[in-house]
Amino acid sequence: MSGTTNGRRVRVALRAVVVAVSLAVLSASAFAWVQVRFLDRSTASASVIQGAVPAGPAAEQNILLLGVDSRTDPQGNPLPPDLLAALHAGDTGDGGDTADSITVVHIPAGGGRATAISIPRDSYVQLADGYGKHKINSAYSRAAAFTTESLTENSAGGAATSPFAPESAGPGSPDDPAVRRAALEAGARTTIATVEALTGLPITHYASVNLAGFADVSQALGGVPVCLRAPVDDPFSGLRLPAGPQEVAGAEALAFVRQRHGLPGGDLDRITRQQTFLASATRQLLSAGTLANPFALDRLTGVLSRSVTLDANWDVLSFAGQLQGLTAGAVTFRTIPTGDTELATASDGTAVEVDPVAVRQFVDDSIAVDGGRPLPVPQPIGWSDAAREHAAEAGDDGASDEDRTVPTTGAVAAPVPVTPPITAAAPGCIN
């Protein structure tokens, strides 16, 4: 009899545990839905995507992520001086609204492995909207400055009128939050158009984060794991870290992604820092089930609403569902091919040389490799039969194939080499 009673007690206890766990899961899911819905409504938005946006969460996505050196929040209000001081970010007059971190994230139709492609901020390219050939990070600042000037000078005096100007009875102040929002929106539009022309990818969504955002997100995640090959003591960024694996958070995380002084590769090594940070944060976000953790999601929601601007057409709920379908290792980080990193320019000092044709080929090849598709097999460059006959008639039949300059009809160039990337599954140790 006692055995039956004990068995019944065990079954009752197990049933109680199952019910409690089920209620906890349901409560967490409901809370998560509410939090994401709040994020969808509270995050600053901007109408910066032009043209039709693919419908449905399963459609192909090309998301432009910008880290903007801005001393204002998404609403156009100045960041507090004590916060700027803690971040080693100077004062509200520094920064210049440049896009110091430029990454395009490609998510294939139907989901699958994502490819994150970084563009060096000093890449010397043709800017959109008639701003000429300059460093790509200045696309944002030039459009923002033009719009600010347009809105704060009397148009009757000859100042240009910005297409992003809000309706106003007269000129405003550069510090007016409405002017700041219009200027930042203009910067986003010009940067989007410039990146589209360089990469060949139509941007479907946009997100920008200000200086405080990197610090806040790392805090909300409870720290982001990184690994350094050597200790760092950089007075410019304020970063001081030992060698080896460790976690960075807050102002330390911002310094980690901003440091370039003292690195062998300069700004290209800084991109590696940024990719490693994002890879680790992505792994932490997806592996730890952060999107299903109500407490972590609550922290992230508050951070993103303070520091991030999204395009107005982004359905955050659908995108959150798409993220849950990704595994931690399903994001690969790459950097576009570059030439001379000390390219002399007419008015921009030294810049990074890039070839738009090579960049587009690299983007196509990277997406193919990460998606598991084979690259086209390069054909040998030689002479066609017709060219050989013509050469023989001309008496030029002794040259080797290496000396020939007439390519075989239908020959294609070899794909741009894809260098070993950083992945969210194993970011590794870096300089």
Side-chain angles (χ1 to χ4, degrees):
M1 185 70 175
S2 61
T4 303
T5 302
N6 289 336
R8 186 174 299 153
R9 286 175 179 171
V10 169
R11 288 195 296 273
V12 170
L14 287 174
R15 188 178 295 114
V17 170
V18 170
V19 170
V21 170
S22 300
L23 287 174
V25 170
L26 288 174
S27 299
S29 299
F31 183 83
W33 186 91
V34 170
Q35 287 300 100
V36 175
R37 171 61 71 182
F38 172 76
L39 175 63
D40 198 20
R41 294 175 176 175
S42 64
T43 304
S45 63
S47 299
V48 295
I49 301 296
Q50 298 174 310
V53 176
E60 175 183 306
Q61 306 286 346
N62 295 307
I63 304 166
L64 177 59
L65 305 179
L66 293 186
V68 181
D69 197 357
S70 172
R71 270 64 175 170
T72 60
D73 65 16
Q75 289 72 38
N77 302 305
L79 295 176
D82 57 340
L83 175 60
L84 294 176
L87 298 176
H88 295 266
D91 57 29
T92 55
D94 294 325
D97 292 331
T98 53
D100 283 348
S101 174
I102 306 171
T103 306
V104 181
V105 180
H106 171 83
I107 301 177
R113 179 174 290 276
T115 302
I117 299 175
S118 297
I119 302 172
R121 66 173 193 167
D122 291 340
S123 298
Y124 198 61
V125 302
Q126 187 68 40
L127 305 185
D129 300 330
Y131 287 104
K133 194 167 185 178
H134 297 284
K135 295 179 181 180
I136 195 169
N137 70 335
S138 71
Y140 198 98
S141 57
R142 290 173 188 275
F146 171 79
T147 300
T148 300
E149 183 178 352
S150 299
L151 297 178
T152 55
E153 291 188 2
N154 190 336
S155 59
T161 301
S162 168
F164 311 106
E167 294 184 4
S168 175
S173 165
D175 297 326
D176 184 344
V179 172
R180 285 290 298 159
R181 288 194 300 271
L184 299 183
E185 185 171 319
R189 283 179 179 267
T190 298
T191 303
I192 288 169
T194 301
V195 170
E196 286 181 329
L198 177 64
T199 63
L201 295 176
I203 300 302
T204 58
H205 289 302
Y206 165 86
S208 68
V209 59
N210 63 17
L211 282 176
F214 271 107
D216 285 348
V217 168
S218 63
Q219 291 276 36
L221 290 173
V224 174
V226 297
C227 181
L228 291 173
R229 296 192 181 106
V232 172
D233 187 355
D234 177 36
F236 294 96
S237 65
L239 184 65
R240 291 175 177 81
L241 291 174
Q246 56 205 291
E247 291 189 349
V248 293
E252 195 172 62
L254 178 62
F256 179 84
V257 299
R258 293 186 76 200
Q259 185 198 355
R260 62 188 176 92
H261 296 282
L263 298 179
D267 199 51
L268 294 181
D269 275 349
R270 174 160 70 169
I271 288 178
T272 301
R273 289 279 187 90
Q274 294 167 354
Q275 290 176 336
T276 300
F277 179 90
L278 291 174
S280 293
T282 299
R283 181 179 182 180
Q284 193 162 342
L285 183 71
L286 299 176
S287 297
T290 304
L291 293 175
N293 182 323
F295 304 106
L297 193 60
D298 184 40
R299 293 193 299 269
L300 281 172
T301 299
V303 166
L304 296 179
S305 64
R306 291 194 305 269
S307 305
V308 174
T309 299
L310 304 178
D311 69 85
N313 296 320
W314 200 339
D315 185 344
V316 177
L317 285 174
S318 296
F319 185 68
Q322 192 173 7
L323 278 183
Q324 287 180 317
L326 287 175
T327 60
V331 184
T332 304
F333 293 81
R334 303 181 184 275
T335 304
I336 64 169
T338 59
D340 185 2
T341 57
E342 296 292 332
L343 178 69
T345 67
S347 60
D348 291 8
T350 58
V352 175
E353 182 183 27
V354 296
D355 178 358
V357 175
V359 169
R360 287 192 174 210
Q361 184 68 62
F362 175 85
V363 169
D364 290 344
D365 290 349
S366 296
I367 290 173
V369 167
D370 295 341
R373 302 192 304 276
L375 294 176
V377 178
Q379 302 297 317
I381 301 297
W383 271 24
S384 65
D385 291 340
R388 288 183 183 279
E389 291 177 7
H390 176 76
E393 291 174 0
D396 181 22
D397 57 356
S400 65
D401 276 347
E402 287 76 15
D403 297 327
R404 313 289 190 180
T405 58
V406 181
T408 301
T409 303
V412 296
V416 175
V418 178
T419 56
I422 292 173
T423 67
C429 291
I430 58 172
N431 290 326

